[in-house]
Amino acid sequence: MRPQLPIERHTMAVLVDNEAGVLARVIGLFSGRGYNIESLTVAEVNHAEGLSRITVVTRGTPPVIEQIKAQLERLIPVHKVSDLTVEGPAVERELALVKVAALGDPRVESLRLADAFRARVLDTTTDSFTFEITGSSEKIDAFVELMKPLGLVDVSRTGVVAIKRGAGGM
Amino acid sequence: MPPEAQGNMMSGAEMIIRALKEQGVDTIFGYPGGAVLPIYDALFKQNHIRHILVRQEGGAVHAAEGYARSTGKPGVVLVTSGPGATNAVTGLVDALMDSIPIVCITGQVPTHLIGSDAFQEADTVGITRPATKHNYLVKNVADVGRVMHEAFYVATNGRPGPVVIDMPKDIQVETGVYTGSPKTKHRSYQPQLKGDLGAIRQAVELIASARRPVFYTGGGVINSGPNASQLLREFVRMTGFPITTTLMGLGSYPASDPQWLGMLGMHGTYEANLAMHDCDVMINIGARFDDRITGRLNAFSPDSKKIHVDIDRSSINKNVHADVAIVGDAGHVLEDMIKVWKAGVHRPDKQAIADWWKQIDQWRGKDCLKYEPSKDVIMPQYALQRLHALTKHLKPYFTTEVGQHQMWAAQFIGFEEPNHWMTSGGLGTMGYGLPAAVGVQIAHPNALVIDVAGEASTMMNIQEFSTAVQHDAPIKVFILNNEYMGMVRQWQQISYEGRYSHSYSDSLPDFVKLAEAMHGVGLRCTKPDEVDGVIEEMMAIRKPVIVDCQVAKLENCFPMVPSGAAHNEILLNARDAGLERADDLALV
């Protein structure tokens, strides 16, 4: 038997025609071929040319990662696929809205922690805060963990967006 | 409105017909229904495009596949919404797996009813998304012309495949300005045809240094066009190396040539499979390391360097690691390989190659396709040998169904030219051969077109025999009737201790009477000495014919690389498989 290959986490940027069904094609490719999606974001990035950018975070062995890239590239509306983990360095960010309902000490503590994490207060009532936090997925994970005992109500995360460092594209 | 636009004002349905005409389409296969009536009305009013009415939409796609594979042109299908589209799905996946260019227009309920569970509504683009290379839902009549042309571009360029265009009924009726031309391309899909020259040079160096080489070529050579088959012949002869082809590649290299080792894979020849296992350099051109080819992956050709030429980037390193990968069209890459080969001094080690051939000849000495002849019952292999011998001067087109008969046909019919062999390889669709034969015959009205069939597969799309009768397509359905789903039965015998669970073809029709009832001709042979006579008679009839060739019931197809085995674990006969001769089991 071949030695077990390591499972790697890769972030890919996929530039696609912003047309009906394009996201379904990408998602269908992942589910149909048994690939993992850890995070997926999509939005139009060039209205004039009708282009959307999908950022997908996936896990797999190096041959599987290579296949995912090749399979994405052969979808007809896909213009370009960039494996930012390989072609990097790249910066990755995620945004989350985190709602905490608390009174007294926990309420004060949540605000103190938010400050330490550079989270902003987006909405407040006498018994709740909604924080906006931006950072790596790990930072958001950590913040959410800390909020749990303080009265965490809901979390809404955007998923990872990423872009290459430096002057080059993708 | 500018005056030039006025001549281009027309209904969506008329745009479809116009685009088909501009694409040079002469034939479409289809079945009408409520959601395509405007297109059928537009068809009624013109004389350029011939419509072949099938009996079920699945048959339309297979017929279009047969048409496409025998002509190299895209096959065109027209079906209605809902069940029309869902019936077409098997054919679409078949075309996707075997890389056949198909443009399939499906009717759809009017746009304002989409999503309301309307009568005969189905989410066709949703259902066919993984069943096609690409698909479209047209929501604006102004897009019809462009989408039509773009669909042809996508279906035929790069790795060919099926494209669905879902056309809501109101779009067919609405009028607009026709746009688009046959030169329409896709703005992002621009497949690479030329291979990287550096990689090609590297491949040629590796080929020249080989001591135990083998060419392993597939359907990509055929899809590239007849020129690629010529270039393949040229290059293989230049090198003096052995060559084996996949099921999809039969005909790209002449079967009568001494350098050809026969087909490889699960039911490939002993010499082809062992050459693959023992080679030091493997030259894969237009094949995709399918599991039916490789057998157990970790035992696949363990000591070879592998060159892989494929137009589809995702085929490379999918199943088998390529040491030299070349993304490009088989014909273009072969042309460059020949140029590079000729430009340098490339002389393979004569002694090593001679020794390799000596080894191959020893394997050939096993005569792996031999079978025990019989005077009393027709052996299926014998029937196909006779069919080949008596028809080959006519350069017939063969289609097949799926199963034992398909493998025997691949083994015993020698193909000399590309585009003469149409079989469902990737999807393995029983019921493919009969409608595919209709499509081939429509494209080649004067040719001899034979569907080598099994009795079980024949029953899957028997209704298309009526299509053949209606359209004067004198196809020959040559049934090797063993009253079993033979390949299922064979696996049950080898792997399930002979528990023949539901593999007996019970309650079969009388195929001779069936052919007659459908206004064709039925013939039957039951003894070996009747085979030649029946084949001659079949060839002389200018009508659709069903031949009920009643063969040995329990014959197995060998050689066989059992599922999950390595190439060198190939079984040559019933004894290897741990069986007595099948006929001696005398179960029936």
Side-chain angles (χ1 to χ4, degrees):
Chain A
M1 285 298 284
R2 275 192 301 187
Q4 287 274 305
L5 294 166
I7 305 277
E8 296 174 357
R9 177 183 183 274
H10 283 242
T11 304
M12 293 190 195
V14 190
L15 202 62
V16 299
D17 282 326
N18 182 18
E19 61 183 31
V22 67
L23 189 60
R25 271 180 225 288
V26 171
I27 292 170
L29 188 158
F30 276 77
S31 65
R33 292 184 184 267
Y35 305 142
N36 296 307
I37 297 179
E38 201 160 277
S39 158
L40 184 135
T41 68
V42 58
E44 192 175 60
V45 290
N46 184 337
H47 184 69
E49 290 181 38
L51 294 175
S52 287
R53 182 177 174 121
I54 297 174
T55 308
V56 57
V57 180
T58 184
R59 275 180 191 278
T61 59
V64 168
I65 298 289
E66 184 192 340
Q67 260 300 297
I68 292 173
K69 183 163 185 274
Q71 292 291 350
L72 283 169
E73 280 167 344
R74 81 202 268 266
L75 294 178
I76 306 297
V78 167
H79 287 248
K80 193 169 181 223
V81 182
S82 183
D83 184 340
L84 296 173
T85 305
V86 173
E87 296 167 33
V91 283
E92 288 188 12
R93 280 295 177 271
E94 191 176 355
L95 183 143
L97 304 180
V98 180
K99 186 183 287 182
V100 179
L103 295 167
D105 284 351
R107 180 172 164 84
V108 177
E109 180 62 13
S110 69
L111 197 60
R112 206 185 339 252
L113 285 166
D115 191 43
F117 275 80
R118 293 197 181 85
R120 289 201 308 135
V121 176
L122 203 62
D123 175 63
T124 182
T125 61
T126 52
D127 56 356
S128 75
F129 284 123
T130 295
F131 299 112
E132 175 197 321
I133 177 168
T134 307
S136 68
S137 300
E138 292 76 16
K139 174 179 165 183
I140 292 170
D141 289 344
F143 184 69
V144 170
E145 274 310 304
L146 289 169
M147 289 300 125
K148 271 185 188 166
L150 300 176
L152 182 74
V153 176
D154 262 326
V155 183
S156 178
R157 297 173 69 150
T158 59
V160 172
V161 290
I163 202 160
K164 215 182 261 184
R165 284 183 191 273
M170 282 301 261
Chain B
M1 182 183 300
E4 69 273 14
Q6 272 181 5
N8 288 334
M9 278 296 284
M10 61 186 82
S11 71
E14 287 164 343
M15 291 180 184
I16 292 167
I17 303 295
R18 166 128 170 219
L20 291 174
K21 258 192 267 178
E22 288 177 355
Q23 284 288 338
V25 174
D26 51 23
T27 309
I28 66 175
F29 301 87
Y31 202 101
V36 280
L37 284 175
I39 304 175
Y40 271 86
D41 197 46
L43 267 177
F44 188 83
K45 294 176 189 160
Q46 57 83 48
N47 288 314
H48 298 272
I49 297 161
R50 184 177 178 200
H51 177 270
I52 304 297
L53 177 69
V54 297
R55 296 299 178 270
Q56 202 254 26
E57 291 86 351
V61 188
H62 293 321
E65 288 182 276
Y67 179 93
R69 291 168 90 171
S70 64
T71 60
K73 298 194 288 188
V76 182
V77 178
L78 174 60
V79 298
T80 194
S81 64
T86 56
N87 277 342
V89 168
T90 299
L92 294 171
V93 181
D94 194 89
L96 182 70
M97 294 284 270
D98 285 346
S99 312
I100 303 165
I102 298 287
V103 173
C104 176
I105 301 160
T106 57
Q108 182 56 277
V109 300
T111 44
H112 66 274
L113 286 180
I114 289 178
S116 71
D117 298 321
F119 177 65
Q120 294 196 327
E121 181 185 0
D123 174 9
T124 300
V125 283
I127 291 167
T128 62
R129 199 173 285 125
T132 54
K133 181 174 174 185
H134 195 51
N135 62 13
Y136 298 87
L137 170 62
V138 182
K139 285 183 155 175
N140 187 335
V141 69
D143 294 336
V144 172
R146 177 189 59 81
V147 168
M148 286 289 297
H149 288 296
E150 201 176 285
F152 276 88
Y153 172 83
V154 170
T156 54
N157 281 276
R159 181 174 173 178
V163 177
V164 160
I165 308 167
D166 204 23
M167 276 300 173
K169 193 174 181 181
D170 53 332
I171 303 296
Q172 301 167 31
V173 177
E174 235 177 273
T175 53
V177 179
Y178 178 84
T179 57
S181 86
K183 289 191 191 105
T184 304
K185 288 183 177 181
H186 191 279
R187 70 175 184 142
S188 60
Y189 184 65
Q190 311 278 348
Q192 178 182 346
L193 294 178
K194 294 280 275 182
D196 175 69
L197 210 55
I200 290 173
R201 284 205 191 93
Q202 209 186 333
V204 169
E205 290 305 321
L206 192 56
I207 293 168
S209 71
R211 302 174 63 82
R212 299 187 311 279
V214 66
F215 279 93
Y216 148 50
T217 66
V221 177
I222 291 175
N223 273 337
S224 174
N227 189 41
S229 291
Q230 287 311 315
L231 292 166
L232 176 68
R233 290 159 196 220
E234 203 181 313
F235 192 45
V236 169
R237 282 172 190 152
M238 225 175 258
T239 59
F241 293 175
I243 171 170
T244 174
T245 49
T246 66
L247 182 71
M248 301 308 295
L250 295 177
S252 57
Y253 195 87
S256 59
D257 190 285
Q259 278 171 256
W260 195 60
L261 306 183
M263 181 178 77
L264 79 160
M266 185 171 270
H267 292 288
T269 65
Y270 186 70
E271 50 270 32
N273 283 326
L274 287 201
M276 288 288 281
H277 188 270
D278 285 7
C279 68
D280 69 342
V281 174
M282 181 185 295
I283 308 137
N284 172 349
I285 302 176
R288 59 184 178 90
F289 293 111
D290 177 85
D291 61 276
R292 286 299 191 262
I293 293 299
T294 61
R296 193 168 75 243
L297 271 178
N298 62 8
F300 174 67
S301 194
D303 303 320
S304 62
K305 291 262 187 233
K306 295 167 189 82
I307 297 164
H308 190 179
V309 179
D310 204 301
I311 197 157
D312 181 355
R313 170 74 188 77
S314 75
S315 285
I316 288 165
N317 293 343
K318 180 167 68 180
N319 301 331
V320 171
H321 174 74
D323 296 283
V324 182
I326 301 165
V327 179
D329 166 72
H332 284 80
V333 173
L334 275 163
E335 198 178 348
D336 284 340
M337 277 183 163
I338 291 170
K339 265 189 215 152
V340 173
W341 181 274
K342 280 182 174 164
V345 190
H346 293 104
R347 305 232 189 291
D349 185 331
K350 258 192 187 161
Q351 188 55 47
I353 301 297
D355 289 347
W356 178 228
W357 272 113
K358 209 189 274 173
Q359 170 66 71
I360 289 169
D361 286 339
Q362 208 180 327
W363 291 328
R364 272 181 167 163
K366 286 262 190 189
D367 192 10
C368 68
L369 296 180
K370 74 167 175 262
Y371 59 92
E372 223 147 310
S374 167
K375 281 204 182 82
D376 307 317
V377 292
I378 303 170
M379 299 309 286
Q381 301 96 325
Y382 171 77
L384 289 173
Q385 279 178 320
R386 295 312 300 156
L387 186 64
H388 177 48
L390 294 173
T391 62
K392 66 180 174 195
H393 64 288
L394 295 173
K395 300 191 165 65
Y397 292 86
F398 282 96
T399 69
T400 75
E401 308 293 337
V402 169
Q404 283 182 323
H405 67 274
Q406 176 192 27
M407 293 296 112
W408 280 318
Q411 291 172 341
F412 287 91
I413 300 171
F415 293 94
E416 301 294 311
E417 296 299 331
N419 303 102
H420 281 64
W421 164 248
M422 273 65 52
T423 193
S424 173
L427 194 62
T429 311
M430 289 172 72
Y432 167 87
L434 201 163
V438 173
V440 175
Q441 188 82 75
I442 296 294
H444 309 275
N446 298 316
L448 176 61
V449 180
I450 304 170
D451 169 29
V452 175
E455 82 290 336
S457 285
T458 302
M459 292 303 289
M460 281 218 180
N461 270 328
I462 185 67
Q463 78 283 354
E464 300 308 330
F465 195 71
S466 282
T467 308
V469 172
Q470 181 190 342
H471 299 282
D472 297 320
I475 61 164
K476 318 299 179 206
V477 182
F478 193 86
I479 303 175
L480 297 173
N481 183 352
N482 58 8
E483 296 179 19
Y484 276 102
M485 293 153 219
M487 193 60 92
V488 173
R489 191 207 55 74
Q490 176 170 340
W491 281 51
Q492 288 173 334
Q493 187 182 10
I494 291 171
S495 304
Y496 296 86
E497 299 172 328
R499 291 185 295 278
Y500 295 155
S501 184
H502 303 276
S503 53
Y504 181 64
S505 295
D506 211 329
S507 309
L508 281 173
D510 178 330
F511 283 106
V512 173
K513 282 188 185 158
L514 183 63
E516 285 165 3
M518 296 174 97
H519 310 296
V521 177
L523 303 172
R524 177 172 291 128
C525 51
T526 57
K527 295 271 173 272
D529 58 8
E530 297 166 0
V531 172
D532 281 18
V534 161
I535 293 171
E536 303 275 13
E537 199 181 339
M538 169 192 92
M539 287 160 65
I541 299 169
R542 279 289 304 170
K543 282 173 90 172
V545 178
I546 295 179
V547 176
D548 181 14
C549 179
Q550 299 191 347
V551 298
K553 296 194 192 318
L554 300 172
E555 182 65 0
N556 286 326
C557 183
F558 289 108
M560 180 178 183
V561 180
S563 191
H567 278 166
N568 59 352
E569 293 162 358
I570 186 168
L571 310 174
L572 281 182
N573 49 43
R575 209 169 309 108
D576 279 3
L579 308 170
E580 296 304 312
R581 211 192 127 175
D583 281 2
D584 298 338
L585 293 174
L587 269 136
V588 175

